[in-house]
Amino acid sequence: VRVEDKLFQNRYLVDAGRAHIKVRPHTTPSPALKTLLTACPARCYELNDKGQVEITADGCVECGTCRIIGEPSGDIEWNYPRGGYGVLFKFG
Ligand code: SF4
């Protein structure tokens, strides 16, 4: 089974308008932000047409990888979703 197929089994409750991860506004991405493009297992980070890194946190599995890479340098701001929101893992 591919990772993408396993991730598809999870369910997400999106807290509309209250993204739990924010990317600091930038003109060119820092090395840490560039790393996030490939480090996120759910592929939440993408380059926009201006070459800036954007996040769509809807499919985030709250693994914390981007928090370790991007938060110490201030490139991103990371908080757990409010109770009841975010990923709902399916086991088995
Ligand atoms: Fe991706 Fe994990 Fe960061 Fe969520 S916490 S955006 S899944 S790296």
Side-chain angles (χ1 to χ4, degrees):
V1 179
R2 296 184 316 144
V3 172
E4 287 79 4
D5 294 334
K6 294 283 275 184
L7 288 172
F8 188 69
Q9 296 181 351
N10 294 322
R11 292 292 170 259
Y12 306 88
L13 189 56
V14 177
D15 198 355
R18 292 180 63 143
H20 67 289
I21 304 171
K22 291 178 187 147
V23 174
R24 183 171 61 181
H26 56 279
T27 44
T28 50
S30 66
L33 283 179
K34 282 187 197 158
T35 303
L36 296 180
L37 296 170
T38 50
C40 171
R43 297 279 182 266
C44 292
Y45 291 87
E46 283 183 329
L47 277 183
N48 66 17
D49 54 9
K50 294 179 194 142
Q52 298 154 345
V53 175
E54 286 184 345
I55 181 166
T56 306
D58 296 5
C60 170
V61 294
E62 297 165 31
C63 70
T65 303
C66 62
R67 185 173 205 178
I68 291 167
I69 295 171
E71 206 175 46
S73 55
D75 284 307
I76 66 164
E77 194 183 308
W78 202 108
N79 294 288
Y80 278 105
R82 284 195 293 165
Y85 291 94
V87 65
L88 178 71
F89 288 102
K90 180 179 181 213
F91 295 98

